[in-house]
């Protein structure tokens, strides 16, 4: 416990200190304070700075960090009995501080471990000398689901099995760091570590600036450059392979892809042709040379690995055998995560290198060996016993891992019997007592158990260690509560030097050469989602404009059954828009579809664009429960229109004019053309009720333009001329066709060099035919037919680019 209620901080008398009620746990190392309750040297300045701020300012600052994470849309998917739910990223606002000198020792131990793992994986997939010498049990390796026979004997194209690893560390009661588990399959969390850093420095920018904290950007720059360097072919590309938006860490996949400027792909985006891994793009098939996979290896190829996988790419294993693609990490490298292998690492290090591990693993005994099994049974009350082949940490387990001291007499006897019958299925591990780190709770600091995840990346110069990572911190003193799926929090990790550190960024040096990314590498799935995003946003806007015009008139009349209102109700009903509800479910569904399409391509959205879309979605869902028909709904529709315009404006003004923007623009123009043609056909019909033409001008946002252009009362011909045939009116059908002709004409050719695509021919014919029309030619039938023809353009585009 901290000594004294009054202490001097930076020369100022402090009536209260955050350490005043801090109670370190007996027998547990505390990261912040020593055994006397005084801040450790690396923490001293930090704690004094927090005390200077005081509880009120700290609360405000931490709220600012939380707001940043909400605005950025950072989330983690949690799976529970209710299903899969998105959970806001649970930031623990107090970073874990580690001295630079201590970090160098940790880094050296982890680099040694990564090199050892590389040799072990290479041996298991090659000569198998470790098994031949009896150092590794053949049965243990063969039984592991991570031992993938189709890739045994395959040497990676880049020469290495491991390129990106993570290690889970915990500090024990003796003050030493121990490795709790290894992550060599598809390590997650590096992107979250970046977001932790951004959010924490938003809250504590002044303190961060005063301390010499190592930056993270250099680590990512070196790894990005290494990935690009692995793509040896002149036409090769680097991509990240994700299981998709339903994965628990999909946000991070999209964030890293956007941060590094690398394509984010799903299994369906890829195909194998001529022994090469290819991505389906709007310019045709293009080769992928380096694939940073973020899905488990067994799901990567349904043809040769798991046939029930729907997220893999058939033929990927064959492309790997052919040496045409490098995977990060190699298929089969997940074997090193097997919990039982921890028992053999010290002996392997001595056998291969004649040296001890610099960072020891948590003590582990595989019960498939007689002596080790006897030791576990004799000491089961001090053990954690779990599945030998599990790749989870003990505190991440799903209930199969048992703490011996917590078992009842009957449970203990049952477990002992199971171990005696089939010991090869179990490992015993020393029960871990994790060190504690401070968290901010109700204006005070309190200790909580924590583990540390550290990342390593292979570069041409060797392994580089991220100077930080992220700490998983418990919500309570229960060490099993630090797992993210069990409500744990994540804290930034500051590696603090005693001298100024280099301010690294992701940007290249001025002297570095550079190449622009090749155009035309837009995956077909991304193009399709961008097109539908444009369509859904435009469809939402058109619906909102019609609903606003409806509710304006509803508020002005005492007769809700007046002919014009009844006609609009009948018009909207087939589209699932029930105007009896102020915010119809059909409108909400359309906007939800826009969010879904955008969510499929998160890597292509700026944080501002995503925030604007989520804000729009939040607003319309809130209105659904609070808005009444009539004047209230009119105001609500105006707000929604403003936010729709804001989102569209962000995309229009900020999005780079490459193929992705063209497909988004094509989607918008297709939908606007369809909607204007359909609505015109309805409201300019000879059967349309009184007031229909005025409503049409209002829906088309062209009231003022009509008054200037036609100094007469609105008539059918003038409305048709303005909203169908005027090439300068951005709401007219002809304007949409002109834009479609321009954008489709700039898409990659699909009919061979010098040949127009089918879609380009169709839009040229359609645009020409409408450009020579007169208002009298635009009958109700002609307008309805035109809406159908514009819709038909999508089919041609889909056939050419989305197949």
């Amino acid at each position: 416990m901290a000594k004294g209620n009054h202490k001097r901080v930076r020369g100022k008398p402090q009536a209260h200190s955050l350490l005043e009620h801090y109670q370190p746990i007996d027998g547990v190392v505390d990261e912040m304070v020593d055994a006397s309750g005084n801040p450790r040297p690396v923490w001293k300045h930090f704690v004094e700075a927090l005390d200077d701020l005081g509880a009120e300012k700290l609360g405000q600052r931490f709220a600012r960090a939380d707001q940043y994470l909400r605005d950025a849309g950072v989330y983690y998917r949690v799976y529970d009995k209710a299903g899969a739910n998105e959970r806001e990223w649970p930031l623990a606002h107090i970073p874990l501080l580690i001295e630079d000198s201590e970090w160098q020792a940790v880094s050296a131990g982890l680099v040694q471990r990564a090199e050892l793992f590389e040799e072990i994986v290479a041996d298991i997939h090659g000569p198998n000398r470790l098994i031949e010498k009896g150092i590794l049990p053949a049965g243990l390796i063969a039984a592991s689901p991570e031992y993938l026979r189709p890739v045994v004997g395959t040497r990676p194209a880049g020469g290495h099995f491991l390129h990106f690893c993570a290690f889970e560390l915990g500090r024990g009661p003796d003050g030493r760091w121990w490795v709790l588990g290894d992550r060599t399959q598809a390590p997650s969390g590096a992107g979250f570590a970046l977001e932790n850093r951004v959010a924490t420095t938003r809250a504590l920018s002044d303190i961060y600036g005063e301390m010499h904290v190592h930056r993270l950007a250099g680590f990512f720059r070196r790894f990005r450059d290494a990935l690009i360097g692995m793509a040896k072919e002149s036409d090769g590309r680097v991509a990240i392979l994700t299981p998709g938006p339903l994965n628990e860490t999909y946000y991070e996949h999209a964030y890293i892809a956007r941060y590094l400027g690398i394509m984010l792909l799903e299994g369906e985006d890829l195909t194998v042709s001529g022994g090469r891994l290819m991505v389906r793009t709007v310019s045709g098939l293009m080769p992928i040379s380096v694939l940073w996979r973020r899905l488990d290896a067994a799901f990567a190829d349904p043809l040769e690995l798991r046939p029930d996988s729907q997220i893999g790419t058939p033929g990927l294993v064959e492309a790997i055998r052919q040496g045409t693609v490098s995977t990060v990490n190699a298929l089969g490298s997940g074997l090193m995560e097997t919990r039982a292998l921890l028992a053999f690492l010290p002996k392997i290090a001595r056998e291969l290198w004649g040296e001890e591990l610099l960072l020891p693993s948590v003590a582990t005994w595989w019960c498939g060996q007689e002596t080790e099994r006897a030791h576990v049974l004799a000491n089961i009350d001090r053990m954690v016993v779990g599945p030998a082949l599990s790749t989870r940490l003990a505190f991440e387990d799903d209930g199969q891992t048992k703490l011996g001291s917590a078992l009842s007499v009957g449970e203990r006897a049952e477990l002992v019997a199971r171990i005696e019958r089939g010991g090869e299925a179990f490992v015993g591990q020393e029960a871990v007592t994790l060190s504690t780190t401070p968290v901010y709770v109700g204006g005070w600091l309190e200790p909580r158990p924590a583990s540390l995840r550290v990342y390593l990346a292979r570069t041409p110069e060797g392994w580089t260690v991220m100077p930080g990572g992220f700490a998983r911190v418990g919500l309570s003193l229960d060490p099993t509560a630090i797992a993210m799926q069990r409500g744990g929090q994540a804290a930034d990790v500051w590696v603090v030097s005693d001298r100024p550190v280099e301010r690294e960024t992701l940007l290249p040096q001025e002297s570095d050469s550079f190449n622009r990314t090749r155009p035309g590498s837009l995956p077909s799935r991304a193009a399709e989602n961008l097109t539908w995003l444009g369509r859904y946003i435009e469809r939402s806007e058109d619906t909102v404009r019609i609903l606003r015009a409806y509710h304006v008139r509803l508020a002005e009349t005492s007769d809700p059954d007046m002919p014009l209102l009844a006609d609009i109700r009948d018009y909207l009903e087939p589209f699932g828009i029930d105007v009896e509800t102020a915010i119809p479910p059909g409108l909400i569904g359309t906007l939800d579809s826009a969010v879904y399409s955008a969510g499929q391509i998160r890597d292509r959205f700026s944080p501002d664009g995503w925030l604007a879309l989520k804000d729009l979605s939040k607003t319309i869902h809130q209105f659904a429960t609070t808005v009444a028909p009539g004047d209230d709904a009119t105001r609500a529709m105006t707000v929604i229109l403003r936010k729709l315009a804001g989102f569209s404006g962000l995309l229009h003004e900020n999005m780079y004019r490459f193929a992705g923007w063209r497909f988004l623009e094509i989607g918008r123009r297709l939908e606007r053309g369809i909607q204007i043609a359909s609505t015109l056909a309805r409201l300019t019909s000879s059967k349309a009720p009184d007031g229909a033409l005025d409503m049409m001008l209002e829906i088309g946002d062209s009231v003022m333009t009509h008054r200037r252009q036609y100094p007469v009362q609105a008539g059918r011909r003038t409305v048709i001329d303005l909203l169908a045939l005027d090439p300068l009116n951005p709401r007219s059908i002809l304007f949409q066709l002109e834009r479609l002709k321009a954008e489709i004409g700039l898409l990659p050719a699909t009919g061979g060099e010098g040949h127009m695509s089918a879609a380009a021919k169709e839009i040229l014919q359609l645009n020409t035919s409408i450009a020579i029309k007169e208002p009298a030619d635009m009958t109700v039938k002609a307008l309805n037919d035109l809406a159908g023809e514009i819709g038909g353009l999508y089919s041609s585009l889909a056939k050419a680019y989305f197949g």
Side-chain angles (χ1 to χ4, degrees):
M1 182 173 174
K3 304 298 183 182
N5 292 335
H6 300 271
K7 59 186 298 185
R8 198 165 188 81
V9 180
R10 295 185 181 179
K12 299 178 183 179
Q14 297 292 309
H16 299 284
S17 168
L18 289 167
L19 291 181
E20 186 173 342
H21 297 292
Y22 197 76
Q23 292 277 5
I25 311 302
D26 290 340
V28 175
V29 171
D30 191 273
E31 297 292 334
M32 182 176 64
V33 299
D34 58 24
S36 300
N38 297 312
R40 300 181 188 277
V42 71
W43 286 87
K44 188 173 186 298
H45 176 85
F46 182 82
V47 173
E48 290 173 349
L50 293 186
D51 273 337
D52 264 1
L53 290 171
E56 183 178 353
K57 285 186 178 179
L58 273 181
Q60 293 171 352
R61 288 182 173 220
F62 293 154
R64 187 187 309 163
D66 293 336
Q67 186 62 51
Y68 161 76
L69 292 170
R70 284 192 294 272
D71 289 348
V74 185
Y75 73 90
Y76 184 85
R77 196 175 298 279
V78 176
Y79 301 97
D80 52 29
K81 293 180 180 179
N85 300 294
E86 290 184 6
R87 176 188 174 194
E88 291 184 359
W89 186 245
L91 179 69
H93 304 98
I94 304 296
L96 172 63
L97 275 54
I98 301 177
E99 288 184 350
D100 194 12
S101 58
E102 182 179 22
W103 188 257
Q104 297 308 315
V106 170
S107 297
L110 294 180
V111 168
Q112 180 205 45
R113 195 176 187 90
E115 289 289 0
L116 179 64
F117 280 15
E118 175 70 30
E119 289 203 30
I120 295 172
V121 175
D123 179 74
I124 291 174
H125 289 82
N128 262 321
R129 294 191 182 95
L130 292 172
I131 290 177
E132 182 182 338
K133 294 180 179 181
I135 298 171
L136 273 177
L140 176 64
I141 300 301
S144 173
E146 298 302 331
Y147 181 64
L148 307 177
R149 288 171 175 79
V151 297
V152 172
T154 301
R155 187 71 186 173
H160 296 287
F161 286 85
L162 299 177
H163 301 269
F164 193 83
C165 304
F167 299 96
E168 199 82 22
L169 309 181
R171 195 196 296 274
D174 61 355
R176 298 180 64 191
W177 288 101
W178 294 73
V179 179
L180 306 178
D182 309 290
R183 291 288 175 260
T184 55
Q185 173 77 266
S188 64
F192 290 123
L194 275 171
E195 288 286 35
N196 287 343
R197 175 61 56 88
V198 174
T200 302
T201 53
R202 287 281 180 100
L204 304 173
S205 57
D206 47 353
I207 303 175
Y208 180 80
E210 293 168 355
M211 302 179 71
H212 305 312
V213 181
H214 285 277
R215 270 56 174 178
L216 305 181
F219 171 83
F220 287 97
R221 187 188 70 247
R222 287 186 283 274
F223 184 50
R224 179 200 60 190
D225 294 346
L227 290 174
I228 294 172
M230 289 170 64
K232 298 174 183 177
E233 298 87 351
S234 59
D235 61 345
R237 287 164 177 76
V238 180
I240 297 175
L241 178 63
T242 175
L246 293 181
N247 183 261
E248 61 187 19
T249 57
Y250 175 74
Y251 170 83
E252 184 212 356
H253 304 169
Y255 178 84
I256 286 288
R258 187 170 62 241
Y259 183 72
L260 299 182
I262 296 175
M263 281 194 294
L264 183 66
L265 305 177
E266 296 182 27
E268 66 181 277
D269 294 325
L270 298 165
T271 187
V272 175
S273 177
R276 294 199 70 179
L277 185 66
M278 314 290 280
V279 56
R280 297 181 177 93
T281 78
V282 297
S283 299
L285 296 179
M286 294 190 172
I288 295 292
S289 295
V290 180
L291 193 66
W292 182 5
R293 63 178 180 87
R294 301 302 303 272
L295 79 169
D296 289 352
F299 293 92
D301 185 347
L303 192 62
E304 298 207 47
L305 299 173
R306 283 191 58 156
D308 60 335
S309 171
Q310 297 183 22
I311 56 176
T313 303
L316 176 59
V317 169
E318 181 57 29
I320 292 171
R321 289 197 198 101
Q322 295 288 335
T324 60
V325 62
S326 297
T327 53
V328 176
N329 289 325
L331 301 186
S333 56
L335 182 67
M336 296 310 302
E337 296 185 0
T338 306
R339 197 183 297 181
L341 284 184
L342 293 174
F344 301 93
L345 293 181
K347 187 175 181 181
I348 293 174
R350 290 191 292 269
E351 172 68 23
L352 294 180
W353 295 340
E355 60 188 44
E356 299 295 327
L357 293 174
L358 298 176
L359 271 181
S361 309
V362 60
T364 305
W365 297 265
W366 179 50
C367 296
Q369 299 165 301
E370 184 176 347
T371 302
E372 286 74 9
R373 180 169 62 250
H375 177 79
V376 170
L377 292 175
N379 297 275
I380 198 167
D381 288 339
R382 298 189 292 110
M383 294 277 183
V384 173
V385 180
L389 301 179
S390 175
T391 58
R392 299 185 180 190
L393 303 182
F395 56 74
E396 290 179 333
D397 210 82
D398 56 3
Q400 298 182 65
T401 298
K402 309 294 182 183
L403 178 61
S405 61
L407 297 175
S408 67
V409 174
E411 290 171 334
R412 185 181 186 278
E414 180 185 354
L415 180 58
V416 168
R418 290 175 63 196
I419 295 174
E420 290 174 338
R421 287 196 307 270
E424 68 280 356
F426 295 90
V427 289
Q429 292 184 296
E430 182 181 359
V432 176
T433 301
L434 296 172
S435 63
T436 55
T437 193
V439 296
Y440 188 76
V441 181
W444 302 99
L445 296 180
E446 296 183 5
R448 293 289 186 270
S451 69
L452 171 62
R453 181 170 292 191
V454 187
Y455 299 89
L456 279 72
R458 185 185 295 280
T459 72
E461 293 74 37
W463 289 100
T464 182
V465 181
M466 182 192 292
F470 80 83
R472 296 199 282 180
V473 185
L475 282 174
S476 68
L477 292 176
D478 178 4
T480 67
I482 71 174
M484 304 302 291
Q485 289 287 339
R486 297 190 180 188
Q489 304 173 90
D492 191 15
V493 178
W494 291 6
V495 177
V496 182
S497 176
D498 57 2
R499 59 178 62 90
V501 298
E502 184 179 355
R503 292 181 176 273
E504 295 187 282
T505 72
L506 205 63
L507 298 175
Q509 301 297 318
E510 283 297 321
S511 58
D512 293 347
S513 61
F514 68 91
N515 291 304
R516 278 190 182 147
T517 303
R518 307 172 188 83
S521 296
L522 179 69
S524 297
R525 180 183 54 84
E528 185 175 16
N529 277 295
L530 283 164
T531 303
W532 275 106
L533 173 62
R535 293 194 66 171
Y536 286 132
I537 288 297
E538 195 61 41
R539 189 177 299 177
S540 298
E541 181 178 339
D542 180 76
T543 303
V544 169
R545 288 187 178 280
I546 294 175
L547 288 172
R548 184 173 68 167
Y550 175 89
H551 286 288
V552 164
R553 286 154 181 80
L554 181 64
E556 293 173 349
T557 181
S558 58
D559 181 14
D561 293 323
M562 66 178 290
L564 182 57
L565 298 184
D567 193 60
I568 290 297
R569 285 197 295 271
D570 292 342
Y571 173 62
L572 292 176
E573 185 179 3
F575 302 107
I577 305 297
D578 179 12
V579 296
E580 300 294 335
T581 305
I583 309 293
L587 172 60
I588 296 173
T590 300
L591 196 55
D592 285 345
S593 295
V595 174
Y596 175 82
S597 292
Q600 303 294 305
I601 44 175
R602 277 292 298 271
D603 58 307
R604 297 182 179 273
F605 267 88
S606 69
D608 286 339
W610 182 254
L611 175 59
L613 184 58
K614 292 295 285 186
D615 179 59
L616 174 59
S617 176
K618 179 181 177 182
T619 298
I620 200 168
H621 279 275
Q622 287 177 339
F623 281 166
T625 59
T626 59
V627 172
D631 189 57
D632 199 22
T634 301
R635 289 194 297 271
M637 295 301 166
T638 300
V639 171
I640 295 170
L641 270 179
R642 236 181 8 244
K643 295 197 173 188
L644 277 165
F647 174 69
S648 298
L650 270 174
L651 297 183
H652 186 79
E653 292 299 322
N654 298 337
M655 200 168 176
Y656 189 74
R657 269 25 177 199
F658 72 132
W661 182 84
R662 300 197 191 288
F663 281 99
L664 181 71
E665 181 72 358
I666 286 169
R668 291 182 61 222
R669 300 304 173 182
L670 279 173
E671 195 65 33
R672 183 174 291 185
I674 293 168
Q675 297 298 335
I676 290 291
S678 298
T679 313
L680 266 176
R682 182 74 176 207
L683 294 181
T684 62
S685 165
S686 59
K687 299 178 181 178
D690 289 343
L693 294 177
D694 289 331
M695 179 180 273
M696 185 67 237
L697 290 171
E698 188 177 324
I699 292 169
D701 198 19
S702 298
V703 173
M704 296 301 296
T705 305
H706 185 272
R707 288 174 183 169
R708 287 194 300 267
Q709 295 284 93
Y710 311 94
V712 295
Q713 186 177 1
R716 184 181 188 277
R717 285 187 301 171
T718 60
V719 173
I720 291 287
D721 189 57
L722 181 61
L723 289 175
L725 304 177
D726 191 333
L728 301 181
N729 182 7
R731 291 281 165 183
S732 77
I733 299 172
L734 184 57
F735 187 93
Q736 314 316 311
L737 297 179
E738 292 281 2
R739 295 304 308 149
L740 285 169
K741 182 181 72 171
E743 300 302 339
I744 292 175
L746 292 171
L747 292 178
T750 59
E753 194 67 33
H755 293 276
M756 294 179 68
S757 67
K761 291 177 182 178
E762 287 180 35
I763 185 57
L764 179 59
Q765 291 173 339
L766 189 55
N767 181 69
T768 303
S769 68
I770 298 303
I772 61 175
K773 296 289 187 185
E774 295 293 332
D777 300 324
M778 306 305 291
T779 63
V780 171
K781 182 179 185 304
L783 287 166
N784 281 324
D785 289 346
L786 179 56
E789 289 179 89
I790 297 173
L793 285 171
Y794 177 81
S795 299
S796 297
L797 287 166
K799 184 177 180 181
Y801 298 105
F802 307 155

